[in-house]
Amino acid sequence: MRGGLLVGLLVLPCLALPGLPGAWAGGVGDGALRVTVTVNGREHSGPRPPAVRVGAQVVKRYRLVNSGEAHLYGVRVVDPAVPAGAVRCPSRTLAALGELECVARFRAVGGAHRATARVEGDIPSLQRRITATTRTGYTGVAAGLRLTERVTVRGAGGSAGRGLRVAWGSATVAYTVTNHGNRPVHAVRITDPGLGLAPGALDCGAGGGTVAVLTAGSSARCTAVVRRPPGTHRSTGLASGSDRVTTYGPRGERLPAPAITARSSAVFTLPGRGEGVAGPGSPSPSAPAKPRPTTESSGKGGAPGGRGVSGVVGGAGVVGGTGVVGGTGVVGGAGVVGASGAVGASEAVGAPLGVGGAAVAPGAVPAAATARPVPPSPSPPPPPGAIGAARAPAVAGDRSPTGPTDPTAARRAAALDDEGFLGRLRRRGREAHELGIVITLLLLLIPAAIAAALLGNRRG
């Protein structure tokens, strides 16, 4: 009897041990798992989320501590404020009385991002799931400016100084700057390097050339009036400011607020006047050149005459070349037909006094030529580009003071006019050779004549 009672007392505790809670995983409870989170090196990110610049990297570190005496399996971190799959843990098992660090890296987005992070782990032997939670988050600082501009062109008008008026125009450039971030931007200044406008040259309202504070989502307008010469001009607006917010980097470093800028551009054209107003003694910049009046000076013979008549002079259309009309009167020795600035009739070689006294009507003969005929003289070759005078008799209705021109002379003049540079050079060479022969003959005949005269005197 006593032996059976002793066996029962020894067996009953062994049967009851597997049913006792924590018999095989002692020290396990709901507070055995703890978690702490740092965001860019800042703790207590739940009540005080650190500021991170939009686009910068956010680094969240989850420190898991298991103070229980049982291993946790299938450990995972769930954080709604983190992109899916961003959390990385080196192991899915958290040993008893051990620690584990999981890390999440991602880019910050604008706005406040707070959430409750939850850590879970399983104890298979007890069929229990242990959890721990904490509040965490960050604030994404989005700062940005947008600049647009519109140009209104006004009428032309203005002066360039020194007695010359040109068509200057004016244009009104309106700049609109908008804060599309989530923080106020302070001391917004607008300049325009393309038009040479400093901040003081713009009117931004009460603040002069600077917008003191531009709240999130609001806009401000600045204007400037510029004066420029006619033509195409380019405006390059530049807006700059600062949100004055210090943010935190991935390693916990403090980052000062950067300069926030925005740019814009516009191309506009200022029209010019049709014709400028010239001052005394200054030519009009836009008026075309006008021909001189077809008159000649009335000075004495041999004095420089006026500008050549544009068109036909003396009815034969001959001004320049050989200058021979009808073989007697010489009308101009150097002019070109119709060319502005040719020498007038009073400069003609061999022209009688008073020939330049009046304009010669087309188809008429100067009166002085009929009063005092001049014998024909050998004609020099025409200058390059000039119209030879020998073509004058071919014009119908041409008459010289003494009668029609010799056909032989006309053909010879036409041949001379059509010859080229090499032909003219050969002709000059032949003329020089003939002249040399004549001089040689004279040098031989003159001494012979003198000798004959002396001999005759001796005989007498």
Side-chain angles (χ1 to χ4, degrees):
M1 184 70 180
R2 289 182 179 177
L5 181 60
L6 181 62
V7 171
L9 291 176
L10 294 175
V11 172
L12 287 175
C14 294
L15 296 174
L17 283 176
L20 295 176
W24 296 100
V28 175
D30 291 338
L33 181 62
R34 298 189 305 273
V35 59
T36 57
V37 183
T38 61
V39 180
N40 284 19
R42 309 297 298 177
E43 298 179 353
H44 311 289
S45 61
R48 296 187 300 274
V52 182
R53 191 71 58 179
V54 170
Q57 191 177 54
V58 179
V59 178
K60 277 192 174 185
R61 299 183 182 274
Y62 305 86
R63 184 171 177 266
L64 313 179
V65 178
N66 182 10
S67 59
E69 296 179 3
H71 295 335
L72 298 179
Y73 299 93
V75 176
R76 58 190 177 276
V77 177
V78 180
D79 190 347
V82 176
V87 182
R88 297 286 188 271
C89 297
S91 174
R92 298 295 301 274
T93 301
L94 178 57
L97 303 177
E99 297 183 358
L100 183 66
E101 183 180 81
C102 300
V103 181
R105 292 181 173 88
F106 56 94
R107 296 293 176 180
V109 295
H113 301 273
R114 299 183 185 182
T116 299
R118 185 176 72 256
V119 181
E120 300 175 348
D122 298 330
I123 304 176
S125 62
L126 301 177
Q127 297 181 354
R128 294 189 59 182
R129 177 171 291 177
I130 306 301
T131 62
T133 59
T134 185
R135 292 286 294 175
T136 180
Y138 73 96
T139 301
V141 178
L145 296 176
R146 182 186 300 111
L147 183 64
T148 59
E149 58 182 275
R150 184 176 181 180
V151 182
T152 304
V153 177
R154 296 183 179 178
S159 175
R162 292 195 176 187
L164 181 65
R165 293 178 61 84
V166 295
W168 280 52
S170 66
T172 301
V173 187
Y175 304 88
T176 302
V177 57
T178 304
N179 180 7
H180 60 83
N182 56 12
R183 294 297 179 94
V185 181
H186 304 267
V188 179
R189 299 183 304 171
I190 299 178
T191 59
D192 196 329
L195 297 178
L197 299 179
L202 282 81
D203 182 11
C204 298
T210 304
V211 180
V213 180
L214 189 62
T215 59
S218 62
S219 301
R221 188 171 183 267
C222 301
T223 59
V225 178
V226 296
R227 296 183 64 83
R228 293 293 184 275
T232 301
H233 304 273
R234 185 179 184 86
S235 169
T236 56
L238 173 63
S240 60
S242 174
D243 57 8
R244 300 177 182 177
V245 176
T246 301
T247 56
Y248 294 89
R251 294 179 296 274
E253 66 274 18
R254 294 170 63 89
L255 303 176
I260 305 170
T261 60
R263 298 180 182 273
S264 66
S265 64
V267 178
F268 60 95
T269 302
L270 293 177
R273 291 179 178 174
E275 180 176 353
V277 181
S282 301
S284 173
S286 58
K290 296 181 179 180
R292 296 276 185 172
T294 56
T295 58
E296 299 176 353
S297 63
S298 56
K300 296 181 179 180
R307 294 284 184 178
V309 179
S310 177
V312 180
V313 177
V318 181
V319 179
T322 58
V324 179
V325 178
T328 53
V330 180
V331 183
V336 180
V337 171
S340 176
V343 180
S346 59
E347 287 183 308
V349 178
L353 295 177
V355 169
V360 182
V365 177
T370 58
R372 300 181 59 183
V374 180
S377 59
S379 336
I387 298 178
R391 290 186 178 180
V395 181
D398 278 351
R399 296 185 180 274
S400 62
T402 57
T405 308
D406 187 10
T408 305
R411 286 195 300 271
R412 180 175 180 274
L416 293 177
D417 183 56
D418 294 333
E419 70 180 357
F421 174 76
L422 295 178
R424 187 181 297 109
L425 189 62
R426 287 193 294 268
R427 181 172 53 79
R428 291 292 180 88
R430 288 195 301 269
E431 292 175 356
H433 179 67
E434 294 170 359
L435 182 61
I437 294 175
V438 172
I439 293 175
T440 303
L441 292 175
L442 290 177
L443 291 177
L444 293 176
L445 294 176
I446 290 174
I450 296 174
L454 292 176
L455 290 175
N457 290 335
R458 287 184 180 182
R459 292 176 181 177

